Every structure is written in C-alpha cells, then in structure tokens.
Amino acid sequence: MQKSECPGRVQLRNKATGTCADRTSSHADVQPRSTIQQSKNSDKFNPRTINPFGEQLRAPSAFAAIYSKGGIPCRLVHGSVKHRLQWECPPESFPFDPLRVSLAERLRETKHPFTFVSKEGFRELLLVRGACEKAVPLLPRLIPVLKAALVHPDDDVFERGLGALVQLSVVVGPALNDHLKHLLTSLSKRVMDKKFKEQITSALQKLEQHGGSGSLIIIKSKIPTYCSIGC
C-alpha cells in the first residue's frame, strides 16, 4: 500500500485492487513546520517574555542590598494609618558614623520602602540625646549628599533633601553656617518655582532662625529676594 499526501488529507492506495482510501488528517496530526518555527521565534522575541530593560533585571541600589541583608539596624512596620520604624536597639546606641551618612545618601532613593526608611531614619537619629555633638563632625560629609538631593530632578527627592536640611539646622544651629553657601545655590534655582516657593521660603526662615544673624548674611548673598523673618 502506498501513501500520498495532499493538504488536509492522506490518501492510501492499495496496489492489489488499485483502489484508494482517503483519511482526513486532523490539525494535531499535521502541523506545518513553519508554524512550529514561528512559535519558537515568537517565544524568543516576545517582549513580555524577554525584556532586557525590565525591572527584574536591574541591579538593586547599594542601600537596597544592604537593607535586604539586615545592614540597616531598623525595619519598616506597616500600620493601618501610617508606617513607623522599628529599631533593633535604641537609636542613641548606634554610632552616627557611618549610619547617619548612609541614611543621608539614600534620601535620593525613589522606591518604597527605602524612601521612607532613609527619610524617617535620618529624622529619628537627630532626635537622640547628644545628636548635636555627634552630627557636627560629620557635616563635611553630610553637606555634599544633601546637596545631591537638592539638585535631584525628582521632586520627591528634593523635598526630602529640603526637609533633612531643616532638621539638621535645628540640631546643629550656627555650625551649619560655614557650609550653607554650598546648599543655597541649589535652592536659589528653585525658589522661583511656584510649586516650591513657599516650602523653600519656610526652610530659609528656619535656617535663619537656628543659624542666627550670620546665616542671614549668607542667605541674602545667595538669594537676594529672601525676606528675613524680622521683616
């Protein structure tokens, strides 16, 4: 018996009788090779299955990696209304160096929970007893990272940097004046932005309040339009 094929069916010929018998092939029996190849190519190049720029292939930030491994001595506790940090030990027991600097550097994080951990951790460390004595020696290292946050294109990062600057001013007072000019250049570029004008003005007034008359001179030299709290 010989077999001949045509699209959609298989024809069987009996040599002895000369008769033919047709058998229709199902889709499962015959699948064109081009269809199989096309399926493989589709899986290979489908952007949903292979995305070299996907989030899952991006390396985590240094802070995210350290936090995931327990290198930051606090954890985020999710609350029904608001979040809070839970420290492994009382915050005053930790050395400011390098923890304080690490938290300041990570104010530029843009993903949760690292945004909250860096912002709240920075704030809470400044509330501990003896924070001024611990923070002042670190100012030369804190100022550049705060400046980096203030020039960041992300608005949320800028606001976190501005808030951290005010918190630092409250603690260290006039000790910040020697470094103030390096930060005011960044603020002068945004002070005319309606979205930030009120926040920046309020921050400058607090810098003046805690920095004394020396800070006013520096502020006016960089932002002439600033109106002192004494006006």
Side-chain angles (χ1 to χ4, degrees):
M1 182 174 289
Q2 293 180 337
K3 180 173 70 173
S4 62
E5 297 182 3
C6 62
R9 68 179 186 176
V10 177
Q11 187 180 67
L12 302 176
R13 178 181 297 276
N14 191 314
K15 290 183 178 181
T17 62
T19 60
C20 296
D22 291 343
R23 178 170 62 88
T24 302
S25 62
S26 66
H27 178 72
D29 295 330
V30 180
Q31 186 173 359
R33 182 177 299 177
S34 60
T35 302
I36 299 175
Q37 186 66 32
Q38 182 179 3
S39 176
K40 292 182 178 179
N41 290 340
S42 177
D43 291 339
K44 183 176 181 181
F45 296 107
N46 188 341
R48 293 178 297 177
T49 57
I50 295 181
N51 183 3
F53 304 102
E55 293 292 333
Q56 68 276 11
L57 296 181
R58 294 179 181 175
S61 67
F63 183 78
I66 294 174
Y67 179 83
S68 299
K69 295 178 181 179
I72 304 299
C74 61
R75 281 293 177 270
L76 174 64
V77 177
H78 292 271
S80 57
V81 179
K82 63 179 182 178
H83 307 320
R84 65 180 180 86
L85 290 183
Q86 179 177 330
W87 296 86
E88 296 176 1
C89 300
E92 55 267 21
S93 65
F94 296 110
F96 269 33
D97 187 10
L99 182 56
R100 158 68 58 201
V101 179
S102 296
L103 290 171
E105 289 174 342
R106 294 305 103 198
L107 291 170
R108 287 172 287 168
E109 290 285 341
T110 56
K111 293 183 178 180
H112 184 79
F114 314 117
T115 52
F116 181 86
V117 172
S118 60
K119 175 184 176 181
E120 187 63 15
F122 188 91
R123 185 189 73 85
E124 291 187 14
L125 277 185
L126 286 176
L127 298 177
V128 304
R129 182 180 303 175
C132 179
E133 292 77 10
K134 295 179 179 180
V136 169
L138 296 178
L139 286 177
R141 294 167 59 190
L142 289 172
I143 297 307
V145 294
L146 287 179
K147 182 178 180 180
L150 293 174
V151 299
H152 199 281
D154 188 287
D155 290 347
D156 291 335
V157 173
F158 170 77
E159 290 179 340
R160 285 195 294 273
L162 187 63
L165 174 59
V166 171
Q167 293 161 10
L168 187 62
S169 173
V170 173
V171 173
V172 302
L176 187 61
N177 291 349
D178 292 339
H179 309 275
L180 205 53
K181 62 181 180 180
H182 302 294
L183 300 167
L184 293 177
T185 302
S186 306
L187 295 182
S188 65
K189 296 178 180 180
R190 297 214 194 198
V191 71
M192 299 310 296
D193 188 333
K194 293 181 179 180
K195 184 164 50 176
F196 299 112
K197 185 175 182 179
E198 185 176 343
Q199 294 181 57
I200 294 176
T201 300
S202 176
L204 292 174
Q205 290 176 344
K206 292 177 180 177
L207 291 176
E208 179 189 354
Q209 177 184 350
H210 299 288
S213 57
S215 64
L216 176 59
I217 298 174
I218 300 171
I219 294 173
K220 293 289 287 185
S221 68
K222 293 293 183 179
I223 308 177
T225 58
Y226 170 69
C227 182
S228 171
I229 54 178
C231 294

